[in-house]
Amino acid sequence: MRFRFKEHYDQDIRLFADLADGLRYGSLLLGAVLLPFVLDDFLLGEATSVVIWAIAGMGLMLLTGHAGQVSLGHAAFLALGCYVNAILMNSFGLPFPLAFLLAGVISGLCGVAVAIPALRLHGLYLAIATLALSMLTEDIIVLAEPWTGGVIGLTAPTPEIAGLVIDRYAAPDLFYWLCLGVAVLVTLGYRNLLRSPLGRAFIAIRDSEISAQAAGISLARTKAAAFGLSCMVTGWAGALMGHFFYSFNHEVFTIILSIQLLLMIVIGGLGSIHGAWYGAVIVGLIPQAINLVRDAVGTVAVPGLETSLFSVLIVLFVLYEPHGLHGRLTKWKVWLDLFPFCRRDMFRRQKSYLRTERFR
């Protein structure tokens, strides 16, 4: 067995638990950087899609997984970031770095504005309110035709940084590295946020709002900050998604996208940054796995097969592993670390609730 002995409290909030942990993440990052040298353009495009999904998943994970605020309207903020970035570049001539940064900031400010009337909502009622926002987004995009292009949509200009043209089709490796760089920065920022007092306040509110209030945490300010930061990251993911699609309209950002984003983090594992990445990999690989199996068997395309498979995965994880893929992998790791001293019922599910949370 391998033990980690702690000598002071600072070890609980270190970025990496130990040197081996840091080397493991460093090797993963090195492998991700080297992917363009071993994959063709098609597979590299799929890897880029996974990275963008991971950024969007981290945005929603911050709000739902760590702050405990369920949202079914994050497709609206994906659309906001996508359209704001394209409009700032097309109509105002702003360079990509500035337009990209402003797209996230504007999305975050809109998230704070949405949070203000939704502060008193909890659970299902908050989900319904954000669902209504997602449903309104398509109509707003169509009605704002002078800016958004209506049903025709917009075309995202090619990003350019310091004279380097990052074309999604002509230079897929550069675009992949751009998305990977944003994902790494978001991941590091997310990890450091969880080590800060604000991140710990998010988790306190998620676990028990009454206990958080008793500890002196302001629910209004903390929830507004959670919405703002979550929507800012989601807006950046939407901006990259616009460049990935090249052309887009209101049909891209439907309510199905919001539901898929929420189910993605549930499959990956709520309350963990790893869960956003695992869920993104699952969402990115399911369509390609279906295509490979169909080509190998030689059958025709079955309508709705992807959605059906995704739904089955959701049901299986909710019934047998509520902590998602990350929770299952963590249990396997703990079991191997404790072997042969592990017990059969060491991971028995806790089915009791706090008395203060039963009647919410």
Side-chain angles (χ1 to χ4, degrees), residues 111-152:
V112 173
V114 170
I116 293 175
L119 288 176
R120 294 184 176 273
L121 300 178
H122 303 277
L124 180 62
Y125 303 101
L126 179 61
I128 293 175
T130 54
L131 180 66
L133 175 65
S134 183
M135 296 174 66
L136 288 173
T137 300
E138 295 183 62
D139 296 330
I140 294 174
I141 292 175
V142 174
L143 292 175
E145 183 177 358
W147 290 99
T148 63
V151 296
I152 298 176

Side-chain angles (χ1 to χ4, degrees), residues 18-80:
D18 52 25
L19 180 60
D21 196 39
L23 291 176
R24 182 163 56 250
Y25 285 106
S27 61
L28 287 174
L29 178 59
L30 179 61
V33 172
L34 296 178
L35 275 184
F37 298 102
V38 297
L39 299 180
D40 57 21
D41 290 348
F42 174 76
L43 292 179
L44 187 59
E46 296 301 316
T48 305
S49 175
V50 168
V51 173
I52 295 174
W53 273 109
I55 298 172
M58 284 188 284
L60 183 58
M61 183 70 77
L62 175 62
L63 181 65
T64 301
H66 283 105
Q69 309 301 306
V70 181
S71 172
L72 285 173
H74 261 49
F77 300 102
L78 282 172
L80 182 61

Side-chain angles (χ1 to χ4, degrees), residues 134-208:
S134 183
M135 296 174 66
L136 288 173
T137 300
E138 295 183 62
D139 296 330
I140 294 174
I141 292 175
V142 174
L143 292 175
E145 183 177 358
W147 290 99
T148 63
V151 296
I152 298 176
L154 294 178
T155 299
T158 303
E160 184 175 344
I161 301 177
L164 185 63
V165 178
I166 307 176
D167 195 316
R168 153 91 168 100
Y169 297 100
D173 52 345
L174 295 179
F175 187 71
Y176 167 77
W177 283 324
L178 170 64
C179 296
L180 181 63
V182 174
V184 170
L185 292 177
V186 169
T187 304
L188 289 175
Y190 195 169
R191 181 68 183 91
N192 280 284
L193 175 66
L194 295 181
R195 300 160 61 203
S196 68
L198 180 59
R200 293 174 180 264
F202 289 162
I203 298 174
I205 289 178
R206 178 196 65 186
D207 293 341
S208 173

Side-chain angles (χ1 to χ4, degrees), residues 69-297:
Q69 309 301 306
V70 181
S71 172
L72 285 173
H74 261 49
F77 300 102
L78 282 172
L80 182 61
C82 181
Y83 275 95
V84 167
N85 178 69
I87 291 172
L88 290 177
M89 294 181 68
N90 284 328
S91 302
F92 295 91
L94 295 183
F96 168 75
L98 182 57
F100 179 77
L101 181 63
L102 289 176
V105 172
I106 293 174
S107 299
L109 293 176
C110 291
V112 173
V114 170
I116 293 175
L119 288 176
R120 294 184 176 273
L121 300 178
H122 303 277
L124 180 62
Y125 303 101
L126 179 61
I128 293 175
T130 54
L131 180 66
L133 175 65
S134 183
M135 296 174 66
L136 288 173
T137 300
E138 295 183 62
D139 296 330
I140 294 174
I141 292 175
V142 174
L143 292 175
E145 183 177 358
W147 290 99
T148 63
V151 296
I152 298 176
L154 294 178
T155 299
T158 303
E160 184 175 344
I161 301 177
L164 185 63
V165 178
I166 307 176
D167 195 316
R168 153 91 168 100
Y169 297 100
D173 52 345
L174 295 179
F175 187 71
Y176 167 77
W177 283 324
L178 170 64
C179 296
L180 181 63
V182 174
V184 170
L185 292 177
V186 169
T187 304
L188 289 175
Y190 195 169
R191 181 68 183 91
N192 280 284
L193 175 66
L194 295 181
R195 300 160 61 203
S196 68
L198 180 59
R200 293 174 180 264
F202 289 162
I203 298 174
I205 289 178
R206 178 196 65 186
D207 293 341
S208 173
E209 291 189 3
I210 295 178
S211 300
Q213 281 183 305
I217 296 174
S218 172
L219 295 184
R221 286 198 299 267
T222 307
K223 286 185 178 181
F227 267 93
L229 292 173
S230 172
C231 295
M232 181 175 66
V233 174
T234 307
W236 284 333
L240 292 175
M241 193 174 291
H243 291 291
F244 182 79
F245 291 145
Y246 181 66
S247 60
F248 48 87
N249 61 5
H250 68 288
E251 294 180 351
V252 175
F253 305 99
T254 63
I255 187 177
I256 301 299
L257 188 63
S258 293
I259 297 175
Q260 187 176 8
L261 192 60
L262 179 62
L263 298 185
M264 182 187 77
I265 64 173
V266 171
I267 290 178
L270 283 174
S272 167
I273 301 177
H274 297 79
W277 284 92
Y278 292 148
V281 171
I282 295 297
V283 168
L285 292 183
I286 282 181
Q288 300 309 318
I290 293 175
N291 292 334
L292 291 175
V293 172
R294 188 178 66 238
D295 294 340
V297 177

